[in-house]
Each structure stands twice: as C-alpha cells, then as structure tokens.
Amino acid sequence: MTSNLYRNIVIATDGSANSMKAISRGIEVAKVSGATVHVVHVVDSPSIISDVWTAGKDMIHEMMMSDGKKILSKAKKTIEDSGVEVKDVLLDGHPGEEIIKFAERNNIDLIVMGTLGKTGLEKFLMRSVAEKVVRHSKVPVMIVRNGN
C-alpha cells in the first residue's frame, strides 16, 4: 500500500548515530508513501572558516567537503539497500538555512532529521539546527529525538 501524502522527502544527516535513526524513520515513511528520498548533508564551513581566515582555508574546506561526501555515501547506501529511491545532495553553508532553502526550492513534502535533545545552557549555546528548521520551515518537519 502506498500513499500520495509524501512524494519527496528530505532526510538531513550529519553522520551521527541519531541521524542514522532519522534515516531509518525516513525510510519507513518513504516506503509507505512511495516517496523519493533526498539525503542531504550540509558542510558547515561558515562557522569554521571565517572570511578573514586565509592560511589553509581551501585545504580545510576541501577536507570538510570530503568528509561530507563520505557521510552522504554511507547514508545513500543505507537507503538504497532498503529499496527506496534516493538522491544525495551535498550543500555548503549554515545547515538550518540550507536545509530549509533546499526543501522549499525542490518541492519537498517532508523533512526528517535527528536532534541530540539538548536542554538548558547547552541548547542555548548551540542553537540546534533541528530547532531552527522546525521554527522556520514552511515544509512539515519530523524530528527523531535521541533515544527514539
């Protein structure tokens, strides 16, 4: 049985154990709905490499992009092995903003992502990517909490 509720799903991954849980949940939804999955990884270079940084900037960026490709490759294989159609997408920028822009520009019906479930001061200092996406996305968001 398939549903037309979701045709295109974004699963955001950072390579963490909890994002792997989000991938599993996204696969379940994609199988039921017959959706195509767009597995997305955002290289957060703006928070690491400043505009005034010059020495080694290109090398650091290339290393970050290479790591992002490895994360995407692992996630894509997991999704392909489940029998779900998948496209991998590597983006560069602020993760929350890039996920939202990609979803809104690509006719995405659902964003699936994990969260580490931080609270208090730690949450205040880190300003969760998942929280930003939930607050600002026009596309529905499914959050898979740590421990789910």
Side-chain angles (χ1 to χ4, degrees), residues 43-144:
V43 175
D44 191 7
S45 61
S47 70
I48 304 295
I49 304 172
S50 72
D51 289 334
V52 295
W53 183 354
T54 56
K57 181 178 184 174
D58 292 336
M59 183 180 71
I60 298 291
H61 187 259
E62 282 303 312
M63 288 172 46
M64 294 172 74
M65 295 298 281
S66 177
D67 287 347
K69 289 175 186 174
K70 289 175 188 171
I71 289 168
L72 273 179
S73 177
K74 181 180 177 184
K76 183 177 182 182
K77 180 167 180 4
T78 299
I79 297 166
E80 284 175 338
D81 289 350
S82 76
V84 171
E85 182 181 346
V86 60
K87 298 176 183 177
D88 57 331
V89 181
L90 182 64
L91 302 171
D92 189 5
H94 297 286
E97 292 172 15
E98 294 301 322
I99 292 165
I100 291 167
K101 284 194 290 191
F102 179 83
E104 292 176 356
R105 292 177 180 164
N106 290 281
N107 200 29
I108 301 298
D109 304 304
L110 178 68
I111 299 169
V112 180
M113 59 191 309
T115 182
L116 295 177
K118 297 187 183 317
T119 59
L121 181 60
E122 191 173 26
K123 178 179 175 184
F124 175 76
L125 293 173
M126 293 186 68
R127 297 310 291 168
S128 163
V129 172
E131 180 182 358
K132 180 172 187 138
V133 172
V134 167
R135 287 183 184 271
H136 299 286
S137 177
K138 296 174 185 164
V139 175
V141 181
M142 174 190 288
I143 299 297
V144 179

